[in-house]
Amino acid sequence: MQTLHLDLGKHSYPIHIGHGLLDRAHEWIAPLIKTPRVAIVSNETVAPLYLDRLQNALEKSGIGALPIILPEGEQHKTVESWLAIHDALLAARCERGTTLIALGGGVVGDIAGFAAATFQRGIDFIQIPTTLLAQVDSSVGGKTGINHPRGKNMIGAFYQPRMVLIDTDALATLPARELSAGLAEVIKYGLIRNTEFFVWLENHLDALLAGDAAALQYAIGQSCACKAEIVAADERETGERALLNLGHTFGHALEAEFGYGNWLHGEAVAVGTMMAAAASKARGWLNDADCERIARLFERAHLPVRIPPADVERLIDWMRGDKKVASGKLRLVLLEAIGQAAVHPARDDEELQTALTACMDD
Amino acid sequence: MQTLHLDLGKHSYPIHIGHGLLDRAHEWIAPLIKTPRVAIVSNETVAPLYLDRLQNALEKSGIGALPIILPEGEQHKTVESWLAIHDALLAARCERGTTLIALGGGVVGDIAGFAAATFQRGIDFIQIPTTLLAQVDSSVGGKTGINHPRGKNMIGAFYQPRMVLIDTDALATLPARELSAGLAEVIKYGLIRNTEFFVWLENHLDALLAGDAAALQYAIGQSCACKAEIVAADERETGERALLNLGHTFGHALEAEFGYGNWLHGEAVAVGTMMAAAASKARGWLNDADCERIARLFERAHLPVRIPPADVERLIDWMRGDKKVASGKLRLVLLEAIGQAAVHPARDDEELQTALTACMDD
């Protein structure tokens, strides 16, 4: 087991990573809570697998639980799901001192985190992510939110958890497609600013795909450490934190265009990263071999690197609707090299067109 | 004109109080904004009176505006109104850099503030309160939120504005009943911890009711200074800030029982304060003369000090649903003397019953 610390002054918190942690969850949770009952938000897929185990662990410390089970899927990351949590908390007379635990993937964590941020102006919140994507990305850093018909994560808050508890055993039940989607974000950390980790991934990708526990803990630890470092430097994404969005401005447009829920977030990020790489190549920063090398790693992780034919103008429109637009000017996270990302303003629509079509089937 | 500062570290902000400020609003707003267009949230009553003047002022600095007009009244302090702001901001392609201005009373400020807190995880926010209640209470301190069918302000966030701009001229168009409701909160500041200000109010209540500009500026300044001091010491209401809720736990129960919108918040707070005074008397802290003196000041301000016959058990139920319940134990803000409030756990239901019935008509 490994423990990292996200240093955010009085909002600092630990990230525990290891296997077998779920059945011992009470050891870390009991010292944090203020009331004898917690609320646990999960979904229809994760609850049958892990809710009992979490509740049994909590019972060992005499902690009761109010389970709140959401339907599964990005298409349910809505105002309605968020309100359903508030309804359940109020119906059960939960209080300001209640701690809310998110048990599930990124969607559960984002909705539950936003509910915790807004229930009676904010209650304590613990993340127990059960997908690789959530373990290496969304559970760390305090971004919470829900989707709006006009765009992803348009409504939300920065709200830090009190703790993140990552049990790598949970990945055993994760569908292969979702493990791959999580690997897209893991690869992203290598690309952003850790060439050494990128090379490690090239050498250990097969072990990760095979579910090797030591490899998973190392990759998750590296990913969380990178994220924690960047978030600590820029909690509210005014600068450096934008680097974490490599592939995301393109990716969000793909998710919106092809329908939330049809593409996994990580899949969209993989293609989006290839689009960012294409734009970086057009600027002369990456060469063909670099792009090939990135594509090869994504492909080995069973991730898409191209999209089917689509309306380029509409995609650009989605990108302009993305919340990372500053003063009408679209900003892109580009790669100056493998392991060195930087934010640059997009030059013009032609640049976006070129990047999009470079990764589009005829 | 007078400027106070609410000291909250990097979230500090100025509170400007004076007359004629609205027509000069651009002088303070222009230096704060990041995009050439702001969004202005107002309501159907306030917009016809003051929106043009604010927009004209902003135009002097070349600042455009997106007006978002809500229906009026506490009954519209709902998820729907909050979502309508998000819809409008997104339809107009507002960005993370957009500043949102609330122009109106407490309801507008609370909903708009919660929209600012949650639009793309938080955008800049300016309060221009136009009611006395909002000027002395809700615009200062960062409490934002909306109501839930199960209780008032159950969904919300602590989110500080960048600035509060208080134009006392706006009170000229305020209905007398609402001026009175605002005075309930002004009187509250005297009761909490400023006996001298309470005495000043006894001596100047008629001037305030007559709309005397100097008296209003003094009373608003005293109120904001008291609130700013308490909020600075306890931004998230873990301790001292709870004092500001004098009369509110009882008051919220009255608003819920009699229907949001039928009672003005200040009216409920006035009776709620009398109930807190009754409980304080039962504990031997206030005497009959103290209670009379408080009731007399409320009555001179045309505020209610009693409620019609009501179901006491249901009222207690509403109180237990209130979000200031800590670990199932109801806490009351009581008066140890006029000018000296303190938080105490409620002893039992009988104590609540006695306080409620002491202020209830047969």
Side-chain angles (χ1 to χ4, degrees), chain A residues 139-190:
Chain A
S139 70
V140 174
K143 280 194 180 183
T144 73
I146 53 180
N147 297 331
H148 183 280
R150 287 186 185 266
K152 211 171 136 71
N153 296 320
M154 284 291 145
I155 303 179
F158 284 99
Y159 196 73
Q160 301 295 340
R162 296 289 311 278
M163 173 175 74
V164 183
L165 201 59
I166 298 175
D167 189 339
T168 54
D169 290 351
L171 301 181
T173 55
L174 191 67
R177 187 178 165 198
E178 291 200 39
L179 189 73
S180 292
L183 287 172
E185 299 279 354
V186 173
I187 293 168
K188 184 192 77 177
Y189 292 111

Side-chain angles (χ1 to χ4, degrees), chain A residues 82 86-87 90-91 95-96 114 117-118 120-121 143-144 148 150 154-156 158 237 323 325-328, chain B residues 82 86-87 90-91 95-96 114 117-118 120-121 143-144 148 150 154-156 158 237 323 325-328:
Chain A
W82 168 76
H86 282 281
D87 292 345
L90 286 169
E95 304 167 5
R96 278 191 180 176
F114 187 46
T118 53
Q120 304 198 2
R121 301 201 186 94
K143 280 194 180 183
T144 73
H148 183 280
R150 287 186 185 266
M154 284 291 145
I155 303 179
F158 284 99
E237 198 170 20
K323 68 187 164 309
V325 178
S327 307
Chain B
W82 167 76
H86 282 281
D87 292 344
L90 286 169
E95 304 167 4
R96 278 191 180 175
F114 186 46
T118 54
Q120 304 198 2
R121 302 200 185 96
K143 281 195 180 181
T144 73
H148 183 280
R150 287 185 186 266
M154 284 291 147
I155 303 179
F158 284 99
E237 198 170 21
K323 69 187 163 310
V325 179
S327 306

Side-chain angles (χ1 to χ4, degrees), chain A residues 305-326:
Chain A
V305 294
R306 302 181 69 76
I307 55 169
D311 183 331
V312 173
E313 292 312 312
R314 277 174 56 98
L315 286 172
I316 293 177
D317 239 44
W318 283 116
M319 291 178 75
R320 294 210 176 283
D322 189 275
K323 68 187 164 309
K324 279 164 284 294
V325 178

Side-chain angles (χ1 to χ4, degrees), chain B residues 121-144:
Chain B
R121 302 200 185 96
I123 58 175
D124 281 353
F125 173 50
I126 290 171
Q127 289 269 21
I128 306 185
T130 59
T131 66
L132 181 57
L133 178 62
Q135 292 180 348
V136 300
D137 182 22
S138 53
S139 69
V140 174
K143 281 195 180 181
T144 73

Side-chain angles (χ1 to χ4, degrees), chain A residues 68-313:
Chain A
I68 302 171
I69 311 303
L70 304 177
E72 206 219 303
E74 177 88 25
Q75 70 272 29
H76 295 291
K77 192 171 158 181
T78 57
V79 166
E80 288 72 28
S81 295
W82 168 76
L83 263 183
I85 298 174
H86 282 281
D87 292 345
L89 292 171
L90 286 169
R93 301 234 159 164
C94 290
E95 304 167 5
R96 278 191 180 176
T98 301
T99 294
L100 191 152
I101 298 175
L103 174 70
V107 172
V108 164
D110 282 6
I111 306 173
F114 187 46
T118 53
F119 184 68
Q120 304 198 2
R121 301 201 186 94
I123 59 175
D124 281 353
F125 173 50
I126 290 171
Q127 288 268 20
I128 305 185
T130 58
T131 67
L132 182 57
L133 178 62
Q135 291 180 348
V136 299
D137 182 21
S138 53
S139 70
V140 174
K143 280 194 180 183
T144 73
I146 53 180
N147 297 331
H148 183 280
R150 287 186 185 266
K152 211 171 136 71
N153 296 320
M154 284 291 145
I155 303 179
F158 284 99
Y159 196 73
Q160 301 295 340
R162 296 289 311 278
M163 173 175 74
V164 183
L165 201 59
I166 298 175
D167 189 339
T168 54
D169 290 351
L171 301 181
T173 55
L174 191 67
R177 187 178 165 198
E178 291 200 39
L179 189 73
S180 292
L183 287 172
E185 299 279 354
V186 173
I187 293 168
K188 184 192 77 177
Y189 292 111
L191 287 170
I192 290 174
R193 61 175 197 181
N194 192 337
T195 317
E196 202 178 318
F197 182 46
F198 186 85
V199 172
W200 184 93
L201 287 169
E202 290 183 313
N203 294 330
H204 294 82
L205 194 77
D206 298 333
L208 292 174
L209 287 170
D212 180 274
L216 282 170
Q217 183 172 325
Y218 181 80
I220 294 168
Q222 286 286 309
S223 300
C224 288
C226 177
K227 177 140 191 187
E229 200 180 309
I230 288 179
V231 169
D234 177 21
E235 185 179 358
R236 287 178 180 259
E237 198 170 20
T238 52
E240 195 179 15
R241 184 158 177 174
L243 297 182
L244 295 171
N245 292 316
L246 175 64
H248 283 60
T249 301
F250 287 107
H252 285 166
L254 303 181
E255 288 181 278
E257 176 66 15
F258 298 126
Y260 293 130
N262 293 323
W263 280 57
L264 294 181
H265 177 66
E267 293 169 345
V269 166
V271 187
T273 300
M274 290 316 303
M275 289 167 174
S280 307
K281 193 179 81 172
R283 291 194 181 201
W285 295 333
L286 296 185
N287 59 32
D288 280 330
D290 293 324
C291 289
E292 276 305 309
R293 193 175 161 196
I294 300 168
R296 178 81 191 106
L297 192 55
F298 282 135
E299 285 177 328
R300 284 177 60 206
H302 310 300
L303 286 161
V305 294
R306 302 181 69 76
I307 55 169
D311 183 331
V312 173
E313 292 312 312

